[in-house]
Amino acid sequence: MVITPHSLRRLSYALIALTILSAMVLVWTAVQHQESTLAIRPMSQGASVPDGFSVWHHLDANGIRFKSITPQDDVLLIKFDSSAQSAAAKEVLDRSLPRGYIVALQDDDSQTALWLTRLRDTSHRFG
């Protein structure tokens, strides 16, 4: 088998294309798997957040899966695998929690979102 400059060039192009394709697949996979977080806060200052067990019960009774429920300061944070799960949970919790609580989507500072933001912000500097 003889390696010609033409075949070497084709191999180089193929490797570059494969590298670009792999990078695109990795970025797409990372973007598709974004966590979502709901935050439950009391409306009035000094009131307590709802019990995590009761929140778990409401979500479980409605077939909504979650990753974790964590109290943090005066907020109860519930993490989900997707925004669809958090939207369904918000609907259930708005109906089932007593009045006096705010159930809202909280922005996640995931590494993927952070990198995408950095790339978007610095893209105007190229060229």
Side-chain angles (χ1 to χ4, degrees), residues 6-90:
H6 180 67
S7 64
L8 192 56
R9 192 173 321 142
R10 287 180 61 193
L11 180 62
S12 298
Y13 290 147
L15 287 174
I16 291 170
L18 182 63
T19 302
I20 291 171
L21 180 64
S22 297
M24 289 173 55
V25 167
L26 286 174
V27 168
W28 181 77
T29 303
V31 169
Q32 294 301 313
H33 183 71
Q34 288 188 337
E35 288 184 342
S36 182
T37 303
L38 280 182
I40 303 174
R41 294 179 172 80
M43 281 184 179
S44 59
Q45 192 172 11
S48 62
V49 296
D51 182 341
F53 182 75
S54 66
V55 170
W56 170 81
H57 176 72
H58 290 300
L59 295 177
D60 187 55
N62 286 280
I64 299 172
R65 296 181 161 262
F66 57 90
K67 292 176 76 172
S68 66
I69 297 178
T70 309
Q72 184 179 18
D73 299 325
D74 292 334
V75 179
L76 191 64
L77 300 175
I78 309 165
K79 289 205 177 283
F80 300 91
D81 282 326
S82 70
S83 57
Q85 288 173 324
S86 64
K90 181 178 178 358

Side-chain angles (χ1 to χ4, degrees), residues 27 31 34 112-126:
V27 168
V31 169
Q34 288 188 337
T112 304
L114 182 63
W115 277 106
L116 289 175
T117 301
R118 285 182 184 170
L119 287 173
R120 275 190 227 118
D121 291 343
T122 58
S123 65
H124 68 277
R125 296 181 189 161
F126 296 119

